Amino acid sequence: MKKNKQIVLIAFLVLLLGLKGLAFTVPDIDILGKDPEVSRIEPEYLIPGQKVKVFGKNFFETPINANKIFINNYPCRIASAKKNLIVFTTPNIALQKDAKIRLYTEYLGYKSKEVIF
């Protein structure tokens, strides 16, 4: 009986999605499995709440949340991303002189090497 309820629920969801349309993002397949490379970060000095640009290559354009950026283990909100540029907002934390920016990509179970800048 339990299995029949699951089948009916799945059929109902498929029907419901079919009526409303199915929306999904197509990931950047050519970047999947490649490690990101950072060439430079602007500005050099970080201020809390400031927009920061990371230039490099092998970043995910879609989905944006596949790019992971941390400053001293605090997650950063990514505003926009392209294959060679990520713009993020610095979290409102006390930053030391030697703040470490850690960047990696993770999507569909593939995690790249971490880049520490």
Side-chain angles (χ1 to χ4, degrees):
M1 184 73 175
K2 187 176 181 180
K3 188 158 184 119
N4 289 341
K5 287 183 181 180
Q6 290 175 345
I7 292 173
V8 170
L9 180 62
I10 291 171
F12 177 73
L13 290 174
V14 168
L15 180 64
L16 184 65
L17 289 175
L19 294 175
K20 288 192 170 194
L22 182 62
F24 61 94
T25 58
V26 178
D28 298 328
I29 301 296
D30 53 337
I31 295 175
L32 196 62
K34 292 184 179 178
D35 297 330
E37 297 176 19
V38 176
S39 58
R40 72 178 195 272
I41 296 177
E42 290 182 2
E44 283 186 32
Y45 300 101
L46 302 177
I47 300 170
Q50 171 185 37
K51 296 271 186 197
V52 178
K53 294 180 181 179
V54 178
F55 295 92
K57 62 181 182 177
N58 297 335
F59 303 139
F60 275 93
E61 193 168 346
T62 57
I64 291 176
N65 61 353
N67 303 303
K68 310 289 184 186
I69 298 179
F70 296 88
I71 297 178
N72 293 342
N73 292 328
Y74 288 95
C76 299
R77 173 179 277 169
I78 298 177
S80 66
K82 295 184 180 178
K83 292 183 180 185
N84 58 359
L85 171 70
I86 294 177
V87 178
F88 71 92
T89 304
T90 307
N92 290 324
I93 59 171
L95 298 172
Q96 301 119 354
K97 186 176 181 179
D98 57 346
K100 291 183 181 178
I101 298 175
R102 185 172 53 124
L103 179 133
Y104 64 91
T105 59
E106 184 175 21
Y107 191 68
L108 295 175
Y110 294 99
K111 182 179 176 186
S112 69
K113 291 182 181 176
E114 293 183 359
V115 177
I116 298 176
F117 204 81

